[in-house]
Amino acid sequence: MSAARAIGLLLGAAADEAITGSRRVERVLDGKSGLLLAGAALAAGVGVERAGRTRPVLQAFGTAVATWAVLGGAGLATNGTKLARDLEEGELESARAKLAELDTRRTDSLDVIGLSRASVESVAQHTSHTVVGPLFWGAVAGIPGMVFSRLVTALRDRARVFARFGAIVDLVPTRFTAALTVTGAPVVGGSASGAWRAWRRDTIAHPNPNEGRVEAAFAGALEIRLGGRTVYPHGVEERPVLGDGRNPDAGHVTRAVELSRVIGWLTALSSAVLAALLEVRRSRRRGLRRLRRASPRPTCAAD
């Protein structure tokens, strides 16, 4: 019983790699019926989670399907790899179009360095939003947790209420992402100490600390500089410089994608362990409550 959710998370992560469906959630939520579909998905998640409490096989299967449906790791890797290839080949118009699918900033005036910087920042953010966040909340709160976190991420640009929910939902996952960036940096030839240093030093300078800690950790891990002047449809923002290395190029985008994959698998394993430990704890509490109810109450002797 205690392993059902953990098994489902691992199976769903493996399915995301095997059956890639880039931007599944975003496509489903497009259009006027998006909010209705979001509500229906969340209600279905609650129903499956409740039904699976006494049925381990159903819980594992439902968790696996939900995990596959909400994860965006494989799609992010595919898009990031295409972006890096376009940059290497000098296909800047194609790179701008692909980046526009991942990021809301204006891309029409970005050169190779600007596109590379924006690509690494987007990979870092999507790693947190579409991989780490859903897996973490899936471990903590089951199917409703992962579905809710992913829906908030997909809808945060549509209304302020979702943006505010997103800031709360991201509090722990962004820290988890930064920590796993430090852990996984050496696997891709990066700097663990650089990731740690940039995370601790540069996060506070960013106007959005949740975004800042993830981007700073990636910048330190890859030994590059991120941030700076960023043009959005609503205006220009002067973002703080994160990291203290060189300007990024296409090769750094490739390495960012590799780092994202490493973080994804570390998150899947960590979330499975966390889910199992939390379920063991819940089982012990249920057992203690049953024992208390079954224990006879002491009676007072008559005078």
Side-chain angles (χ1 to χ4, degrees):
M1 175 73 180
S2 62
R5 182 180 292 171
I7 292 171
L9 289 170
L10 291 174
L11 289 175
D16 180 52
E17 288 285 343
I19 313 172
T20 304
S22 178
R23 298 175 67 81
R24 286 181 289 265
V25 175
E26 286 79 359
R27 286 203 304 267
V28 170
L29 296 180
D30 280 342
K32 296 181 180 179
S33 60
L35 291 178
L36 292 176
L37 290 172
L42 187 57
V46 172
V48 173
E49 186 69 25
R50 286 184 176 178
R53 287 176 182 173
T54 57
R55 301 172 184 175
V57 174
L58 177 61
Q59 186 182 46
F61 179 76
T63 302
V65 172
T67 303
W68 171 81
V70 303
L71 278 191
L76 176 60
T78 299
N79 292 335
T81 300
K82 290 178 179 178
L83 257 172
R85 186 182 303 119
D86 285 342
L87 291 171
E88 288 175 354
E89 296 175 354
E91 300 291 340
L92 299 190
E93 287 304 318
S94 178
R96 291 184 182 110
K98 289 183 176 65
L99 179 60
E101 296 178 2
L102 297 174
D103 201 290
T104 58
R105 77 186 74 196
R106 293 186 60 180
T107 62
D108 51 300
S109 61
L110 294 179
D111 58 9
V112 173
I113 293 176
L115 287 167
S116 299
R117 174 176 72 84
S119 297
V120 173
E121 291 174 355
S122 295
V123 169
Q125 286 304 317
H126 281 274
T127 299
S128 178
H129 291 159
T130 69
V131 181
V132 179
L135 285 170
F136 171 80
W137 286 114
V140 172
I143 298 173
M146 76 169 73
V147 171
F148 180 76
S149 76
R150 190 68 177 87
L151 291 177
V152 166
T153 295
L155 297 170
R156 69 174 63 209
D157 293 329
R158 301 192 186 185
R160 286 186 178 181
V161 63
F162 291 111
R164 291 173 180 173
F165 271 124
I168 297 171
V169 168
D170 287 344
L171 279 175
V172 177
T174 53
R175 288 170 169 82
F176 199 19
T177 305
L180 292 179
T181 302
V182 174
T183 304
V187 180
V188 299
S191 171
S193 61
W196 170 259
R197 185 169 56 252
W199 170 21
R200 306 310 299 171
R201 183 192 63 204
D202 297 338
T203 296
I204 193 171
H206 200 282
N208 184 328
N210 285 337
E211 293 181 2
R213 65 177 55 94
V214 175
E215 292 179 8
F218 264 69
L222 300 175
E223 299 176 288
I224 57 176
R225 290 197 303 270
L226 299 177
R229 188 173 187 270
T230 306
V231 182
Y232 290 98
H234 61 266
V236 178
E237 294 186 14
E238 292 295 339
R239 295 293 180 92
V241 175
L242 308 175
D244 49 16
R246 53 177 289 192
N247 286 324
D249 56 27
H252 292 108
V253 178
T254 299
R255 290 176 63 203
V257 172
E258 293 171 351
L259 180 57
S260 176
R261 281 186 177 276
V262 171
I263 292 170
W265 279 110
L266 288 174
T267 305
L269 293 172
S270 302
S271 297
V273 172
L274 177 61
L277 291 176
L278 290 174
E279 185 56 36
V280 168
R281 184 181 180 185
R282 283 190 288 265
S283 296
R284 287 178 177 174
R285 286 182 174 178
R286 287 193 293 266
L288 287 173
R289 285 196 294 268
R290 285 195 294 268
L291 284 175
R292 292 192 185 102
R293 287 195 295 267
S295 298
R297 294 182 179 179
T299 56
C300 296
D303 292 334

